[in-house]
Amino acid sequence: MTERTVLSMRSGGVLRLTLNRPDKLNSFTRAMHAELRAGLEAAAADPDCRVVVLTGAGRAFSAGQDLADTGWAIGGVAPDAGALLEEAYNPLIQLITTLEKPVIAAVNGVAAGAGANIALACDLVLAARSASFIQAFAKIGLIPDAGGTWVLPRLVGAARARGLAMLAEPLPAEKAEAWGLIWKAVDDDRLQAEVAAVADKLAVAATYGLALTKRAIAASSTNTLAAQLDLECELQRLAGASPDCAEGIGAFLQKRPAKFSGRKA
Ligand code: LHQ
């Protein structure tokens, strides 16, 4: 039996998805894309899953596309790189960024190429101090994909985005934190415990409110202030009518901890 390229483990409200091709630094094959997509779709469909953690097995988070699985060969006809994005990476980034629950990237080691940008598509990125982010594309004549050209300038500004994309040098986790590319760099031996603490906190949070927050922040990158204020009215109307908002306010007034269901209605 072939080994699964993505391991899936549910514990309470937390679904942990582990990229599992450690010998090839968890680089993406078509099979891995399909399994990761299936894992995320299962998370979307399961109301008891309140948060997803994405991490890698072994010493890497992911080295991006498996360059041996692409069909490129010296002297051969180049495959359609755009088609691979359309079929696999773009739907994956859309799935992560529109999932109505938080997705945490636990970056346990190097994240290169599309592997880096998949991590950066997640809502919270925690990285081991020894991890690094490499926009490796320039080394092979490609452009940053999997949302890289969109997310990098927004997170670190155009000057740093161009430097990262054109020089393709590893950005250590601590510097990534200092630049605002990620949420937090933590000691290697603390990564899984810190991620578990954040995941456990989010697993009992007001999930629907978090989903609306995610939607609003995503929309802000193209909205005018006026449009964003309108969107805040629309989404706050939905959040304000949710059972978790009633519970949160009730709990505050009764001076007790809130017990959120995470449900929309
Ligand atoms: C790999 C890979 C890999 C296969 C390590 N593939 N085997 C979109 C559209 C269309 C087409 C193309 O792609 C894309 C999206 C992309 O992601 S493009 C960018 C693809 N990724 C890269 O260019 C990164 C390539 N990898 C590296 O530069 C290095 O491996 C890094 C810097 C990540 C780590 O270096 P080391 O720690 O020195 O490890 P290593 O290079 O020795 O790798 C260990 C093994 O993993 C080795 O296999 P082997 O059988 O020799 O032990 C590598 O060949 C394999 N591997 N990345 N992307």
Side-chain angles (χ1 to χ4, degrees):
M1 206 177 101
T2 43
E3 190 153 16
R4 296 191 70 84
T5 60
V6 177
L7 306 176
S8 178
M9 201 183 80
R10 250 289 289 285
S11 169
V14 182
L15 175 71
R16 197 179 162 83
L17 298 172
T18 304
L19 306 174
N20 187 39
R21 298 184 69 232
D23 294 349
K24 297 295 173 190
L25 306 190
N26 303 319
S27 53
F28 272 79
T29 56
R30 284 176 194 276
M32 187 188 267
H33 269 291
E35 288 181 33
L36 182 55
R37 208 161 43 231
L40 290 165
E41 281 165 356
D46 180 357
D48 293 329
C49 167
R50 310 268 290 271
V51 54
V52 177
V53 173
L54 180 61
T55 194
R59 69 179 176 92
F61 176 77
S62 169
Q65 173 62 32
D66 182 328
L67 295 173
D69 191 50
T70 48
W72 266 281
I74 293 167
V77 178
D80 181 351
L84 183 54
L85 297 179
E86 279 170 354
E87 284 160 27
Y89 288 95
N90 293 3
L92 172 61
I93 299 302
Q94 294 282 10
L95 247 179
I96 293 170
T97 53
T98 61
L99 193 71
E100 292 189 338
K101 42 199 93 186
V103 184
I104 303 172
V107 180
N108 51 300
V110 66
N117 295 334
I118 290 165
L120 298 178
C122 296
D123 298 299
L124 292 175
V125 185
L126 283 84
R129 228 171 275 288
S130 67
S132 61
F133 296 82
I134 314 176
Q135 296 294 322
F137 308 89
K139 288 189 183 169
I140 52 171
L142 292 176
I143 69 160
D145 57 26
T149 59
W150 191 88
V151 79
L152 289 171
R154 282 174 171 78
L155 291 177
V156 299
R160 283 172 166 167
R162 280 193 293 265
L164 290 171
M166 292 184 176
L167 300 176
E169 290 167 359
L171 184 73
E174 261 177 81
K175 204 162 177 183
E177 179 190 323
W179 283 11
L181 188 70
I182 66 168
W183 174 237
K184 224 177 188 185
V186 302
D187 289 342
D188 287 25
D189 60 357
R190 293 283 313 146
L191 178 69
Q192 296 309 337
E194 295 245 6
V195 167
V198 175
D200 288 346
K201 180 172 181 174
L202 292 174
V204 294
T207 311
Y208 183 49
L210 298 182
L212 297 173
T213 301
K214 180 167 171 168
R215 203 196 299 175
I217 290 177
S220 75
S221 56
T222 48
N223 268 347
T224 60
L225 174 61
Q228 191 69 13
L229 290 172
D230 286 346
L231 181 67
E232 286 178 4
C233 288
E234 184 192 322
L235 300 185
Q236 198 69 297
R237 194 163 280 134
L238 296 174
S242 71
D244 279 347
C245 179
E247 165 62 11
I249 294 174
F252 174 78
L253 295 175
Q254 292 164 8
K255 300 187 188 302
R256 62 170 173 83
K259 196 167 169 14
F260 294 120
S261 70
R263 307 289 162 116
K264 270 186 203 179

